Amino acid sequence: QVQLVESGGGLVQPGGSLRLSCAASGSIFSINAMGWYRQAPGKERELVATITSVGSTNYADSVKGRFIISRDNAKKTVFLEMNSLKPEDTAVYQCNAGVLLLGGRYMDFWGKGTLVTVSS
């Protein structure tokens, strides 16, 4: 029905930057909130940042001031600009979207994730 495809992960040195993208496609009427979550090895998945359809944002305390979430509604894409990266930011980053489908049903979708590794 709906696919979320992340891109932009990779290996970066501490203090570096990366920009993640997540594009949604499929039977979409509209998208409500979109967000990024991450799961580090041996830890539970945690919220990184979310953004509503009108641009209101919410960040985890651990990334405030370093990460910026944004979206392009026309392209059904959400971005995560990550700056001043730390080794503890290493994780698989997953995109999430609340979607109103063409058939009128509202569902939550997840991408498969993209790996971000912060290491020297």
Side-chain angles (χ1 to χ4, degrees), residues 2-3 12 15-16 19 33 46 58 70 77 81 85 89 106 116-117:
V2 173
Q3 297 78 41
V12 62
R19 188 182 194 228
E46 63 175 359
N58 179 53
S70 61
T77 301
E81 184 77 30
L85 283 161
D89 294 318
Y106 186 87
V116 172
T117 303

Side-chain angles (χ1 to χ4, degrees), residues 49-66:
T50 60
I51 184 167
T52 68
S53 58
V54 295
S56 296
T57 58
N58 179 53
Y59 295 93
D61 288 343
S62 59
V63 306
K64 280 180 182 176
R66 299 188 299 123

Side-chain angles (χ1 to χ4, degrees), residues 1-70:
Q1 289 172 314
V2 173
Q3 297 78 41
L4 300 179
V5 179
E6 302 100 334
S7 60
L11 174 64
V12 62
Q13 292 187 342
S17 298
L18 278 178
R19 188 182 194 228
L20 305 183
S21 300
C22 172
S25 63
S27 304
I28 299 170
F29 180 78
S30 65
I31 302 177
N32 189 11
M34 302 184 81
W36 290 95
Y37 293 73
R38 67 185 181 186
Q39 187 167 19
K43 295 188 177 181
E44 293 189 354
R45 183 167 61 192
E46 63 175 359
L47 179 145
V48 176
T50 60
I51 184 167
T52 68
S53 58
V54 295
S56 296
T57 58
N58 179 53
Y59 295 93
D61 288 343
S62 59
V63 306
K64 280 180 182 176
R66 299 188 299 123
F67 290 11
I68 300 172
I69 188 170
S70 61

